[in-house]
Amino acid sequence: MAMVNATSADPEKHREEVIVTERVSYSSETKALSRKQLLSPYFTIAAAAFGLISDGCKQFQCIPFELTTKPSADQNNLMTMANVVFKKLYPKEYTSDVSTRVSNSLLVGAIIGQIVVGLVCDRIGRKAALVLTTGLIVVGATLATAAHGAHGSAAGLFWFLTFARGLTGIGVGGEYPASSTSASESANEKMLKNRGPVFIMVTNFVLSFGGPLAVSVFLIVLSAAGESHLQTVWRVCFGIGIALPLTVFYFRLRMMTSKLYRQGAIKQSVPYWLVVKRYWKAMIGTCGAWFLYDFVTFPNGVFSGTIISSIIPDGNIKRTAEFQLLLGAIALPGVFVGALLCNPFGRRNTMMLGFSGYLVFGLIIGLSYDKITKIIPLFVVFYGLMQSFGNMGPGDMLGLVSAESYPTSIRGTCYGISAAIGKTGAAVGTQAFTPIQLHLGKKWTFIVAAICGITGILVTYFFVPDMTGVDLEDEDRKFMKYLAEQGWDGLIGEEDTGSSIEGVEEK
C-alpha cells in the first residue's frame, strides 16, 4: 500500500522508472535478435549440409537402395544396392523396366520439386522452402520403408515404391534450390573470399559422401541380418534414411532469411521476360552443362552396383557392396580437389578440367573394356577416377556457378530450372543406359561418357560465366539498374525492408 501511495505522490518518478524498464527490456530483445541474426547464416550453412547429406543417401537407395548433392544425398544413393537386392528377391518380377521405373520416379519427382520449390524460394522465402522439402522427404521415405503390395503382390510393392520414391523426389529436388541458394547467400555474407570452397563442402561434398555412407550402412545391416533376411535389410536401410532429414529441422527452425534476400527479393510481378533477355546465355551454360553431367553421372551411379555385380564371378552381394564402397571412396577426393582449385584456377576452368576426366577415362575404360573388366580392382579404380574427375569439375562447380550467375531475386528459380534440366538428363541417361548396353555393348556406356565430356568442355567454355571472387551483391545492383533502365517499376525486398525500384536506385 505504501508503494502505491509513493507512486501516486510522485507520478513523474514512476514514469521515469517505467521508461527505464522498457529500455532495458527493448535492449535485451534487440541483443537477442542481433545474436540470432549473427548466428543465422551459420545455421543456414549447417542446414544445407545436413539436408543434402540426407539427399545423397536417398540417391543411394535408388542405386541399390536409394539417407543428396544437393536431406537428399542419402535419398539419391539408397537404390544402388537396393537394385541388387531386389534382383535377388524378385528375379522374375524385378525386370529392367521395373528397375528403371522405380529409379526414375525419384528423378521425375526431383524435376517437379526443383522447379516448384525454386519458385517458392523466390516468391515466398528460403525458410519456408527448406521446411517444405524436409517434410516431403520424411513422409516419402517413411512410405517407402513401409511399402507393401496388396496380398503380398511384388508388382504392387514396386508400384507403391514408385509412388513413395516420387514423393521423396519432390523433396529431394527441392533441396537443390532451397539449400544451395541459402548456403551461397549466407557464405557470401560471412566469408566472401571463401564462398566457393565453403559452398562446395556443404553441398557437393555431403552429396558425394552420401554414397559411401549409404553403402557402409548397407554393409553393416547386411552383416547383422545376413543374406537370408534381405527383406529386413532393405527396409532397415530405407528406414535409417528417415533419421537424417529429421535432424535438419533444428537448424532450419533456427535460421533467418539472408540479408541479400531481405533486400533483393521480388515477390510480385517478377519480370521473367527481362530475366531471359539478360541471362539467356548463362541459362544455356548452366542447364546444358548440368544435363550432360547428370546424363553421365546418374546412370553410372545408379547402375554401378549392377555393373560391378555383373563382372564378379558369383555376383556375391557383399563383395559387390565392398567394391561399391571402394568406388565411392575413390570418387570422393575429387570433391576436395575441386574445392581447392575453384578460387585460384577459377570456376569455369575447374569445370572444364573435370569434364576432361570423362573424356580421358571414358575412352580408356570403353576401348579396353573386355580386358580391364577381367581385373576387377583395376576396373573399379579407373571407374572411380572417372567419377572423381566428375566430382572435381561439374559436380563441384555446377551448383556453385548456378547460384552465383543470377541475382538474388531470381536465384532460386534459375537454379531450380538448371538443376531440373540436369535431372532431365539423369532421367534420359537412366532410360538410355540399358538399351545402350543391350544394343551397342557395355563398353559404349563409357564411350558415350567420353563424348559427353568433350561436349561439356565446349558448353562450359562458351556459355558459363566465371563469377570467381565476385560479391553477389554486385550482381544484384547491376540487375536492379538493368530493370530500371528497362522501365520496370516494382517493389524490391521483403515487407520490412521493401522499397520501389526508384528507391533502390537512389540508395
Side-chain angles (χ1 to χ4, degrees):
M1 193 60 145
M3 187 179 294
V4 174
N5 290 337
T7 301
S8 302
D10 193 356
E12 191 64 32
K13 182 177 180 180
H14 173 65
R15 190 180 301 111
E16 290 177 358
E17 290 175 350
V18 171
I19 292 173
V20 169
T21 302
E22 288 176 348
R23 283 177 178 172
V24 170
S25 175
Y26 177 77
S27 177
S28 300
E29 291 176 0
T30 304
K31 287 180 180 178
L33 180 60
S34 178
R35 191 181 302 111
K36 187 175 181 181
Q37 290 174 335
L38 182 66
L39 294 176
S40 180
Y42 298 106
F43 280 113
T44 302
I45 292 170
F50 275 83
L52 290 171
I53 193 172
S54 167
D55 184 36
C57 293
K58 285 294 181 287
Q59 289 187 43
F60 175 74
Q61 281 181 342
C62 181
I63 304 178
F65 282 100
E66 288 200 325
L67 202 106
T68 131
T69 70
K70 242 134 68 293
S72 60
D74 61 303
Q75 295 298 330
N76 282 320
N77 285 298
L78 274 172
M79 280 302 298
T80 295
M81 293 311 301
N83 281 334
V84 178
V85 170
F86 288 145
K87 284 184 184 297
K88 289 280 185 181
L89 289 172
Y90 307 99
K92 294 182 180 179
E93 295 88 349
Y94 200 63
T95 63
S96 59
D97 289 340
V98 173
S99 173
T100 301
R101 186 186 74 218
V102 175
S103 296
N104 272 356
S105 63
L106 186 83
L107 294 176
V108 173
I111 293 169
I112 296 171
Q114 284 161 340
I115 294 175
V116 172
V117 177
L119 290 167
V120 171
C121 272
D122 292 337
R123 303 298 292 273
I124 298 177
R126 311 303 199 217
K127 184 174 181 177
L130 288 165
V131 172
L132 172 65
T133 58
T134 308
L136 287 170
I137 291 174
V138 170
V139 172
T142 303
L143 290 174
T145 304
H148 277 87
H151 309 294
S153 164
L157 167 66
F158 294 128
W159 276 113
F160 197 135
L161 275 174
T162 299
F163 170 76
R165 299 298 297 158
L167 185 62
T168 305
I170 296 175
V172 166
E175 279 294 320
Y176 284 76
S179 290
S180 297
T181 54
S182 300
S184 64
E185 290 164 6
S186 296
N188 188 81
E189 184 177 335
K190 290 297 181 182
M191 46 199 86
L192 175 59
K193 292 182 179 179
N194 293 313
R195 181 184 66 221
V198 169
F199 179 89
I200 289 168
M201 296 310 293
V202 300
T203 54
N204 194 47
F205 167 70
V206 294
L207 281 167
S208 302
F209 181 69
L213 175 61
V215 178
S216 300
V217 169
F218 172 75
L219 281 169
I220 293 170
V221 175
L222 181 64
S223 298
E227 293 192 25
S228 59
H229 297 89
L230 292 180
Q231 286 282 3
T232 301
V233 171
W234 77 261
R235 290 189 187 277
V236 170
C237 288
F238 271 70
I240 292 173
I242 302 170
L244 280 177
L246 289 174
T247 65
V248 177
F249 274 115
Y250 172 75
F251 294 102
R252 294 187 170 175
L253 292 174
R254 292 292 303 272
M255 67 174 282
M256 296 178 66
T257 304
S258 70
K259 179 183 176 183
L260 281 173
Y261 183 77
R262 292 198 303 272
Q263 294 177 344
I266 299 178
K267 295 192 171 184
Q268 296 179 350
S269 305
V270 182
Y272 289 116
W273 174 240
L274 295 179
V275 171
V276 173
K277 285 176 64 178
R278 182 172 173 83
Y279 294 104
W280 65 269
K281 187 176 179 180
M283 286 295 293
I284 290 175
T286 56
C287 291
W290 214 326
F291 180 94
L292 292 166
Y293 171 65
D294 275 8
F295 181 86
V296 173
T297 195
F298 201 93
N300 272 288
V302 169
F303 294 107
S304 57
T306 306
I307 293 171
I308 294 171
S309 177
S310 69
I311 64 176
I312 292 176
D314 57 356
N316 182 274
I317 290 181
K318 187 174 182 181
R319 196 171 179 214
T320 299
E322 289 170 347
F323 275 114
Q324 184 75 33
L325 182 59
L326 174 62
L327 178 66
I330 296 171
L332 198 57
V335 179
F336 298 101
V337 176
L340 291 172
L341 291 178
C342 71
N343 279 344
F345 199 49
R347 297 2 178 186
R348 185 166 55 191
N349 291 336
T350 304
M351 194 151 88
M352 289 191 291
L353 181 62
F355 272 123
S356 71
Y358 282 165
L359 175 61
V360 173
F361 290 104
L363 287 178
I364 290 174
I365 298 172
L367 297 178
S368 62
Y369 187 83
D370 293 334
K371 294 181 179 179
I372 199 171
T373 51
K374 293 177 181 178
I375 311 171
I376 299 173
L378 182 63
F379 169 75
V380 171
V381 167
F382 274 82
Y383 198 175
L385 287 172
M386 187 180 85
Q387 294 191 348
S388 187
F389 267 81
N391 279 335
M392 178 194 71
D396 276 358
M397 298 303 124
L398 275 168
L400 184 56
V401 298
S402 296
E404 293 179 340
S405 299
Y406 309 104
T408 299
S409 54
I410 47 102
R411 180 170 293 119
T413 302
C414 293
Y415 190 108
I417 292 172
S418 300
I421 297 297
K423 278 293 180 284
T424 302
V428 173
T430 304
Q431 193 71 39
F433 190 88
T434 301
I436 289 174
Q437 282 193 328
L438 293 176
H439 299 294
L440 298 177
K442 292 181 180 180
K443 67 179 183 180
W444 272 95
T445 59
F446 295 96
I447 295 173
V448 168
I451 295 171
C452 290
I454 194 168
T455 308
I457 292 172
L458 295 173
V459 170
T460 302
Y461 180 78
F462 287 108
F463 295 102
V464 174
D466 196 335
M467 302 288 285
T468 306
V470 177
D471 190 334
L472 298 182
E473 197 168 358
D474 291 343
E475 183 59 34
D476 285 358
R477 283 192 287 266
K478 292 177 182 177
F479 183 58
M480 292 301 113
K481 183 179 179 182
Y482 164 76
L483 291 181
E485 290 172 349
Q486 296 296 316
W488 182 80
D489 184 16
L491 294 177
I492 307 295
E494 292 198 305
E495 292 180 4
D496 56 339
T497 59
S499 59
S500 65
I501 188 71
E502 291 85 355
V504 173
E505 282 297 295
E506 289 174 3
K507 290 180 183 179

